[in-house]
Amino acid sequence: LKALLIFCVVFAHFLRVSGHFEPGSPSRIIYIICFSFMMEGFFFVSGFFSQNVDKCRAKSFETLLLPYVVFMILSFGARYAIFGSAHLILYLPSHAMWFLLVMFYCRFGIKTFARIPFVLPLSAILYLTAGAMTFMGPGMALGRACSFLVFFLLGYYSKWDYFEKIRKIPKPVMIVPSAGLVCLSVWYAGQKEYDVELLLFKDCNEELGIDFLEGVVIRALVGLAALTWLVIWIDVLPDKKFPSKGGLITQLGQNTMTVFLLHVFVRQILKWAGHKRDFAILSHDGWIYVLLMLALALACVYLFSRPIVVKAYDKSMQFLYKPFEKVIKL
């Protein structure tokens, strides 16, 4: 599941590089399908693997907050080198870096969240109404933190028995909801009045030009779509190493962090190349562009998930974290 999710993240991010997101275009349709479940899925899976709350809190600084600061700086350097100008504002996450910050909130805070009575329904209410709070915007990724917390908690409170019950549903049954969700995404992609930004939960309702009731309804529909997709994937995906020989895709699912962080730099290069005449193909939105981005996404998820890359990343983070380790423990 994590392998599928990280591929969708990379593919969707690359698809939007062209900037030509015309209603009904292939890249817009695929982008909407991916964003209707991929980030919710990541928080759900991470919540499920956060049962050891003490370990989550202790490791959150090294595995999430430190990479956030380091890669915010590296991303700033890359943007400055590529485009000639850039801004570094640590409380305003640059592209994709918001995920590390929000995941830090969730992993660090789960020990406390789990003690709050009725925290799951409360987080659901927060998810539905967060768009109405004007201060819930990109700053410190607060808008997204309030939006994705409920999916993290859903994963945390899930039991393996729930997954086993889902997996007893005959797989052909899942064709119907899958087809329905794809058709809904195609319809949504063709609507001029609905911006794809509604799926990102980055900005408040006022910034998006919708009222309170619209915001609640849209969030409810997006949440329902995400949960339906998760049920589908839990049912149809293999429950053993895949493929059975080598487990290449399973290995990818175990090494998603390096893929997530490093693909951002490839995206910046693509964004730069799309403005050059020699790379005019990156400035058009069509099936050739989609296939090109598909090939590049597959290459990135393979290369950036290799053990040698993961090992180098882990050693680098451990080295950088060492001077702060004693202070953090205190």
Side-chain angles (χ1 to χ4, degrees), residues 27-309:
S27 58
R28 187 182 177 99
I29 292 170
I30 298 171
Y31 183 90
I32 287 173
I33 292 173
C34 290
F35 263 95
S36 62
F37 68 87
M38 67 185 195
M39 301 317 302
E40 291 88 346
F42 257 121
F43 281 97
F44 178 83
V45 174
S46 297
F48 180 73
F49 287 122
S50 298
Q51 302 302 318
N52 188 334
V53 295
D54 291 312
K55 183 179 178 181
C56 284
R57 177 165 289 187
K59 298 290 288 183
S60 61
F61 290 94
E62 180 182 357
T63 60
L64 294 164
L65 191 59
L66 176 63
Y68 170 76
V69 174
V70 170
F71 278 84
M72 277 286 289
I73 296 170
L74 291 176
S75 180
F76 160 76
R79 294 196 311 275
Y80 190 86
I82 293 170
F83 301 107
S85 64
H87 298 285
L88 176 62
I89 307 173
L90 286 178
Y91 67 82
L92 197 63
S94 58
H95 178 77
M97 294 302 147
W98 66 267
F99 175 77
L100 297 178
L101 197 55
V102 175
M103 191 61 75
F104 169 75
Y105 299 154
C106 292
R107 299 270 292 182
F108 180 85
I110 186 60
K111 184 176 181 178
T112 302
F113 297 149
R115 297 172 182 168
I116 301 173
F118 309 108
V119 66
L120 191 54
L122 287 173
S123 66
I125 294 170
L126 181 62
Y127 163 74
L128 293 171
T129 59
M133 306 172 196
T134 54
F135 61 90
M136 294 293 183
M140 298 298 291
L142 290 179
R144 281 163 159 163
C146 293
S147 299
F148 290 110
L149 175 62
V150 63
F151 297 99
F152 184 87
L153 291 172
L154 275 171
Y156 176 77
Y157 286 111
S158 292
K159 306 297 181 186
W160 189 256
D161 291 346
Y162 303 165
F163 302 150
E164 291 298 324
K165 289 178 181 178
I166 291 172
R167 294 183 65 80
K168 289 179 181 178
I169 302 172
K171 289 176 174 49
V173 173
M174 294 301 172
I175 294 173
V176 176
S178 301
L181 289 167
V182 170
C183 290
L184 185 62
S185 297
V186 172
W187 172 83
Y188 183 77
Q191 305 302 307
K192 291 183 179 180
E193 61 268 31
Y194 293 123
D195 196 332
V196 294
E197 295 293 324
L198 292 170
L199 299 172
L200 308 184
F201 303 135
K202 180 174 66 173
D203 299 306
C204 63
N205 293 344
E206 186 178 327
E207 291 289 328
L208 296 170
I210 58 176
D211 60 32
F212 174 76
L213 186 58
E214 281 181 304
V216 170
V217 171
I218 290 170
R219 282 170 172 263
L221 291 173
V222 172
L224 180 61
L227 292 176
T228 305
W229 273 121
L230 282 172
V231 169
I232 293 168
W233 296 128
I234 288 169
D235 187 30
V236 304
L237 292 176
D239 60 352
K240 296 179 175 63
K241 284 189 176 183
F242 185 79
S244 56
K245 291 184 178 180
L248 182 65
I249 296 177
T250 301
Q251 187 181 70
L252 166 61
Q254 295 169 334
N255 297 331
T256 55
M257 181 61 85
T258 48
V259 177
F260 181 82
L261 291 170
L262 297 177
H263 91 278
V264 172
F265 300 100
V266 178
R267 184 185 179 276
Q268 294 296 346
I269 295 170
L270 284 173
K271 192 173 181 181
W272 168 80
H275 292 86
K276 298 293 181 181
R277 290 183 181 179
D278 295 341
F279 297 95
I281 192 173
L282 298 179
S283 300
H284 299 284
D285 189 6
W287 284 110
I288 294 178
Y289 172 76
V290 170
L291 291 173
L292 183 62
M293 293 302 103
L294 173 63
L296 186 59
L298 288 170
C300 283
V301 296
Y302 175 77
L303 292 172
F304 296 153
S305 64
R306 294 303 83 212
I308 188 172
V309 177

